[in-house]
Amino acid sequence: MTQTDADLQATLRSRAEGLAAPLPALLAQAEQLAASVLPGAHGRRRAGTGDEFWQYRPATASDWGARIDWRRSARSDAHFVRETEWQAAQAVTLWVDQSQAMDFSGHRSRPSKADRARVLALALSVLLLKGGERVGLMPDMPPRAGRAQLDPLAARLMQHHSAEDYGTPPMSVLPAHSQTVFLSDFLGDQTALQDAVGRAADRGVRGALVQILDPAEEEFPYQGRSIFTSMGGGLRHETLRAADLRTRYRNRLAERKDMLADLARATGWQMLTHHTDQPPGLALMWLWQQLDARRVR
């Protein structure tokens, strides 16, 4: 092996180790969050088409003879029907905004918007995979079932970052009649977002929009001379009286929230604004309830 090859291999190994280092912590945090919200989470439990035994129940007059489990009934004076568990795994595809804007945190005691989005996405994946669902990640990670899907999800969330200042959902085609969750600050191009949600809704996809904001983005606590730059450095604005911008800024943010709410109503989706100073379990519980309530029955 030449020195050049050895250097390349060492560089590659170092980069790989650097990328993998945060994964155990992220996975542990996601597992802990999932367990704290729903410690007993499991798959849907009801009778229906499936292979797994669920329960015996007393036979009724409407049950035909072929449904009677005669072996179990022989041990009793009553007739029993053997029921299997209903199994219909749903596909849930996540989009986690990885743009530069998501790296913002207004205070070192708070996680960045990107950190909160990653933890929520992975904790939700833990719950869904435990429940027998298939989980995927946009733009190119199709939904799959099983615990083995969790590590690739975590790796992809940690490795993929966009050079764009603000993010918009990719042009991925979601499985028809599936479910999806978009996690973002939704401060980017609203037309692109509307198109993405509209395309998904046209395919019968049901979804949830989780807007993640830092409290500073709500409050706009800036005064005096200030220089505002986007996280990627592509946008810059300097003012001598930052407080004069507060009302206009808050109005623009309110307009964006109204747009998201209108978009959700028009497509039958759900929308939540979550702040990084709030417990992540609140958003995770809301997401779980939305997805659970909208599963095909």
Side-chain angles (χ1 to χ4, degrees), residues 21-271:
L23 293 185
L26 176 62
L27 281 167
Q29 189 176 359
E31 294 269 17
Q32 184 177 18
L33 176 58
S36 68
V37 171
L38 288 172
H42 52 70
R44 294 179 301 280
R45 302 281 293 175
R46 70 182 184 89
T49 302
D51 298 324
E52 296 295 326
F53 169 74
W54 180 30
Q55 66 177 6
Y56 289 111
R57 66 166 175 81
T60 66
S62 61
D63 292 316
W64 57 93
R67 297 199 62 192
I68 304 298
D69 188 297
W70 297 107
R71 179 177 297 181
R72 170 65 182 85
S73 300
R75 301 198 303 267
S76 173
D77 293 333
H79 290 160
F80 288 88
V81 172
R82 185 180 190 274
E83 291 188 325
T84 56
E85 184 176 355
W86 182 73
Q87 297 173 347
Q90 299 294 298
V92 181
T93 306
L94 310 176
W95 174 62
V96 180
D97 187 349
Q98 300 277 45
S99 66
Q100 299 292 321
M102 293 295 288
D103 289 332
F104 177 73
S105 173
H107 194 278
R108 56 185 162 184
S109 66
R110 295 194 291 265
S112 69
K113 294 183 289 183
D115 287 342
R116 178 56 54 86
R118 282 192 288 263
V119 169
L120 283 175
L122 202 57
L124 181 61
S125 298
V126 170
L127 294 176
L128 291 168
L129 292 171
K130 283 184 177 180
E133 313 288 13
R134 294 179 290 128
V135 182
L137 184 67
M138 297 173 75
D140 55 5
M141 193 172 182
R144 292 191 175 90
R147 171 77 191 193
Q149 179 77 332
L150 198 57
D151 287 342
L153 276 170
R156 183 67 63 88
L157 287 171
M158 293 301 301
Q159 292 175 11
H160 180 70
H161 294 279
S162 170
E164 300 295 327
D165 277 326
Y166 296 96
T168 55
M171 299 289 288
S172 304
V173 177
L174 296 172
H177 307 293
S178 63
Q179 299 196 78
T180 187
V181 176
F182 291 177
L183 299 108
S184 172
D185 56 14
F186 299 117
L187 299 179
D189 182 4
Q190 69 179 47
T191 300
L193 173 64
Q194 291 166 336
D195 288 345
V197 173
R199 287 195 310 272
D202 288 344
R203 291 179 56 81
V205 176
R206 298 159 295 163
L209 304 172
V210 180
Q211 184 184 40
I212 300 175
L213 296 174
D214 187 278
E217 294 176 310
E218 291 274 13
E219 300 161 4
F220 199 84
Y222 311 107
Q223 301 185 45
R225 181 178 183 272
S226 302
I227 300 175
F228 299 98
T229 59
S230 61
M231 296 300 294
L235 300 173
R236 184 179 187 277
H237 178 75
E238 182 175 355
T239 180
L240 295 177
R241 295 194 296 266
D244 292 347
L245 301 175
R246 185 174 296 120
T247 299
R248 280 186 291 165
Y249 169 83
R250 287 178 173 175
N251 288 340
R252 290 287 298 275
L253 182 60
E255 290 173 0
R256 180 57 60 102
K257 288 183 177 181
D258 288 342
M259 181 275 294
L260 293 172
D262 290 343
L263 179 61
R265 278 193 296 269
T267 55
W269 286 29
Q270 303 297 318
M271 183 258 179

